[in-house]
């Protein structure tokens, strides 16, 4: 097998995700033969540092021996079994450990098999909870601007990124969309916390007006990843938890991307206030299996669980399922992931790496075409702008980020910008030297992308 022959075969039969396939007439598809640690390697021995963690899923590197071993052992024991009416050890142990590791009060795990499906579960469960409790008028959801929750119709509906959503609008539920706390839009001299607090007033107004018809508020805590790695201060979560309680509305925390250590704590919700907050629903996927196998889970409370628990004839059960719910191989990968978090003190080790990443990209703030450099833990972003003082974006048609991507490939790096936003979301096994290399490559790429 060679790069060329695999590309030819691929383009003859495959339709790739999130891709205008015509781009591949000029933009080479990159065939990957093997992965090891942060490295991806093609058939000719070219290597790339996976700075985007293969779409934000890989946290402990490719072909991690400890995760591999756990999956291999599980493979010889039980590959899959129906989870309705049946149980198996990996899914039970995983649920026990997730309940123990997640914010206090989350006591039940409902499994699904990808992030979007977890969001669908949380939306349906919240609506159904209120219905079972005699509040059938609650049928709507509140979301914040620039949010992203997945691509299936329910998840797409509660997102707010036009690029993915606009086309399908005639098919979608209509959420109540509130201007969010995105700190990119703060006035000069205003702190993240001030701006975040200020923007919360929109949420308070929406809740006061719509609580009677609203099941839940859904948001991505701290970082809106698909929305361009836009960030806000944790005080928003604290204010939101209090307001949702006061207005009798659920809070759905979509930690599919930010969970598992990305923002500096195991879950982003931990950073709110002195003791963190507990959402009514916590959606997890991506890092859950360290990027090995599709699995997602929605954690919820006794209160929610109890609202469904009744005699069958009353038809209050949550009759939702996916074929691969609680797959044992995926659960085994997740258990190995949690083992690594515990034995390697990953959160503490990441503090050093996050600081180094921040220092390495800080000089880019002075670049004439960089409007913002921002970071929450192991997610950092550099936003290119046409005009620095006004923070005017480059027209999207110019595809400046793609120029950074192309340059990075020539420098052994997989940086895949979101529009004008160059970001770093590397596996936690990245070394200090590799972090510095990525920062250099990004700086070169931004120079090239903004030079004409
Ligand atoms: C990726 C993502 C999803 C969707 O997960 P999939 O597994 O891709 O369906 C939902 N919410 C957030 C915040 C995500 O980043």
């Amino acid at each position: 097998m060679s790069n060329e022959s695999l590309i030819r075969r691929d383009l003859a039969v495959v339709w790739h995700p999130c891709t205008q396939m015509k781009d591949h007439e000029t933009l080479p598809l990159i065939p990957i033969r093997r992965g090891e640690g942060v490295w991806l390697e093609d058939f000719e021995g070219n290597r790339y540092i996976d700075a985007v963690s293969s779409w934000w899923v890989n946290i402990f590197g490719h072909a991690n021996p400890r995760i591999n071993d756990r999956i291999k052992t599980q493979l010889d024991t039980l590959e899959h079994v129906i989870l309705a009416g049946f149980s198996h050890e990996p899914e039970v142990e995983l649920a026990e450990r997730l309940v123990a590791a997640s914010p206090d009060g989350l006591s039940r795990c409902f499994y699904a098999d990808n992030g979007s499906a977890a969001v669908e579960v949380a939306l349906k469960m919240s609506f159904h909870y209120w219905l079972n409790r005699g509040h059938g008028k609650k049928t709507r959801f509140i979301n914040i601007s620039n949010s992203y929750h997945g691509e299936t119709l329910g998840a797409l509906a509660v997102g707010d990124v036009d690029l993915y959503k606009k086309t399908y609008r005639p098919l979608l539920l209509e959420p109540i969309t509130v201007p969010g706390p995105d700190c990119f839009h703060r006035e000069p001299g205003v702190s993240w916390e001030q701006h975040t607090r200020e923007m919360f007033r929109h949420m308070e107004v929406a809740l006061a007006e719509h609580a009677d018809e609203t099941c839940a508020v859904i948001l991505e805590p701290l970082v809106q990843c698909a929305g361009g790695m836009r960030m806000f201060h944790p005080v928003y979560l604290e204010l939101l938890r209090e307001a949702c309680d006061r207005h009798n509305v659920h809070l759905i925390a979509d930690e599919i991307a930010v969970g598992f250590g990305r923002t500096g704590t195991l879950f982003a919700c931990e950073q709110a206030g002195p003791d963190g907050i507990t959402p009514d629903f916590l959606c997890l996927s991506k890092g859950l299996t360290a990027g090995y196998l599709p699995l997602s889970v929605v954690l919820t409370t006794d209160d929610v669980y109890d609202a469904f628990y009744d005699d069958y004839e009353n038809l209050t059960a949550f009759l939702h399922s996916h074929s691969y719910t609680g797959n044992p191989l995926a659960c085994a990968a997740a258990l190995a992931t949690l083992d690594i978090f515990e034995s390697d003190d990953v959160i503490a080790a990441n503090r050093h790496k996050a600081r180094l990443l921040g220092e390495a990209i800080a000089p880019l703030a002075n670049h004439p075409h960089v409007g913002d450099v921002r970071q929450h833990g192991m997610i950092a972003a550099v936003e290119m702008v046409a005009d620095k003082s006004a923070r005017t974006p480059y027209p999207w048609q110019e595809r400046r980020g793609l120029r950074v991507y192309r340059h990075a490939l020539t420098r052994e790096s997989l940086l895949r910008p979101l529009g004008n936003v160059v970001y770093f979301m590397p596996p936690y096994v990245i070394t200090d030297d590799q972090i510095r290399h990525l920062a250099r490559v990004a700086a070169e790429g931004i120079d090239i992308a903004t030079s004409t």
Side-chain angles (χ1 to χ4, degrees), residues 347-361:
I347 299 292
N350 279 359
R351 249 173 247 141
H352 160 81
K353 286 177 199 179
R355 188 169 351 101
L356 191 90
L357 175 58
E359 285 164 10
I361 61 170

Side-chain angles (χ1 to χ4, degrees), residues 48-92:
Y48 308 94
I49 297 176
D50 189 355
V52 299
S53 293
S54 287
W55 253 350
W56 322 339
V57 298
N58 189 300
I59 55 182
F60 296 131
H62 296 276
N64 185 296
R66 287 188 274 178
I67 305 174
N68 287 8
D69 283 349
R70 186 88 182 224
I71 293 173
K72 284 177 192 165
T73 306
Q74 185 59 43
L75 186 58
D76 287 331
T77 315
L78 176 68
E79 81 301 332
H80 187 62
V81 63
I82 178 174
L83 201 66
F86 286 73
S87 176
H88 57 82
E89 215 177 327
E91 64 96 8
V92 175

Side-chain angles (χ1 to χ4, degrees), residues 56 119 142-150 155 158-161 181-182 217-234 236-237 240 251-259 263 268-269 282-283 286 376 379 418 425:
W56 322 339
V119 169
I142 295 178
N143 66 349
I144 62 175
S145 53
N146 193 46
S147 52
Y148 178 86
H149 298 290
V158 293
D160 185 50
V161 178
D182 178 355
V217 174
I218 181 166
L219 91 168
E220 300 153 89
L222 302 189
V223 188
Q224 298 187 307
C225 296
M229 302 295 164
R230 292 291 181 80
M231 301 180 184
F232 56 90
H233 190 277
Y236 198 85
L237 303 172
L240 182 59
L251 170 53
I252 302 173
D254 176 353
E255 294 218 19
I256 289 165
V258 296
T263 66
C269 283
L282 176 65
C283 301
K286 293 202 166 115
H376 260 310
I379 307 175
L418 289 154
M425 199 156 167

Side-chain angles (χ1 to χ4, degrees), residues 262-341:
R262 275 292 168 199
T263 66
T265 44
L266 189 60
F267 300 114
C269 283
E270 293 171 31
Q271 293 182 40
D275 306 312
I277 56 140
T278 302
D280 299 284
F281 301 92
L282 176 65
C283 301
L284 303 174
S285 187
K286 293 202 166 115
L288 172 62
T289 63
Y292 266 71
L293 287 160
L295 180 70
S296 64
V297 62
V298 178
L299 283 104
T300 190
T301 61
D302 283 346
D303 179 42
V304 169
Y305 181 75
D306 291 345
F308 292 79
Y309 196 90
D310 202 350
D311 296 327
Y312 185 81
E313 296 70 26
N314 292 332
L315 293 176
T316 58
F318 191 58
L319 301 180
H320 179 111
S321 63
H322 297 285
S323 309
Y324 287 102
T325 291
N327 174 263
L329 295 169
C331 289
L335 288 169
T337 302
L338 292 178
D339 283 347
I340 295 174
F341 268 104

